Amino acid sequence: MEQTVQDEELAEIVENLRLLGSDVSDIEVKRAEGGLPRSARDTVVAFANTRGGTLILGLDESSGFASTGLADPAQMSSDLAAMCATDVEPPVRPHIGIHDFEGTRILVAEVPELPPLRKPCFSRGAGMSQGSFVRVGDGDRKLTSYEVQLLLANRGQPHEDEAPVSPTSTRRW
């Protein structure tokens, strides 16, 4: 799979995180030594409901964003892709890349924002009212039922019936 985040960009991102000493609204770092963290689902959902973002697995925030690497990055990539396809509604299709970074292998997943007509994104296991999150600062925050209803209301009425039918015209005889 072609990488969109290049190695130079990744180094710059991590350097900025180290300077700030914290995650930021569009970047989340997880150690992920024991496999795909359960919290990754909430982060993917939050990114999809907000402005999109980048999930980096294999860095340790508590150790100054040290590269801890992943035991099996290919399996982690497969697990993340499967989780995004089956545990999240609507399914999210992140761009996932594996990078060599500071002597280890880490995973970078770029999660796109969903269009308003598809929001809210939520964890299937928790349901829409309990499994919808947004990104606020450097964390994932559960949406209130009111906020979920606002996202649903913002879907609006479909407008497919307003498009002209091909190959007709608006000319009158």
Side-chain angles (χ1 to χ4, degrees):
M1 185 178 275
E2 182 182 325
Q3 296 177 351
T4 55
V5 170
Q6 300 300 314
D7 291 337
E8 301 80 30
E9 279 181 287
L10 178 60
E12 186 177 328
I13 288 168
V14 175
E15 181 181 333
N16 287 333
L17 292 173
R18 288 173 175 162
L19 287 172
L20 290 170
S22 173
D23 292 328
V24 292
S25 63
D26 61 343
I27 299 172
E28 176 69 22
V29 169
K30 297 186 184 296
R31 192 176 172 118
E33 280 186 328
L36 185 63
R38 291 177 49 92
S39 62
R41 181 181 303 110
D42 297 346
T43 298
V44 167
V45 166
F47 282 152
N49 282 331
T50 313
R51 289 178 302 280
T54 303
L55 175 63
I56 303 174
L57 303 177
L59 294 179
D60 184 8
E61 181 178 2
S62 66
S63 298
F65 296 94
S67 182
T68 57
L70 301 170
D72 189 348
Q75 184 62 51
M76 182 80 64
S77 175
S78 177
D79 291 347
L80 179 62
M83 183 269 297
C84 289
T86 61
D87 296 352
V88 170
E89 184 69 37
V92 175
R93 306 290 185 215
H95 187 279
I96 302 171
I98 297 170
H99 294 260
D100 290 316
F101 185 74
E102 296 180 351
T104 66
R105 310 258 298 161
I106 65 173
L107 185 142
V108 178
E110 297 171 80
V111 180
E113 176 182 5
L114 287 178
L117 291 176
R118 299 194 65 205
K119 292 180 184 179
C121 183
F122 60 93
S123 166
R124 284 186 179 168
M128 189 181 295
S129 62
Q130 295 298 311
S132 297
F133 292 83
V134 289
R135 194 77 178 160
V136 178
D138 69 343
D140 308 322
R141 305 289 182 251
K142 189 186 312 186
L143 289 174
T144 65
S145 57
Y146 175 75
E147 290 169 315
V148 169
Q149 292 306 313
L150 277 178
L151 285 175
L152 290 171
N154 284 336
R155 286 182 175 178
Q157 187 66 29
H159 296 281
E160 287 83 7
D161 59 339
E162 295 175 1
V165 178
S166 241
T168 63
S169 73
T170 55
R171 192 174 111 197
R172 294 183 182 238
W173 297 96

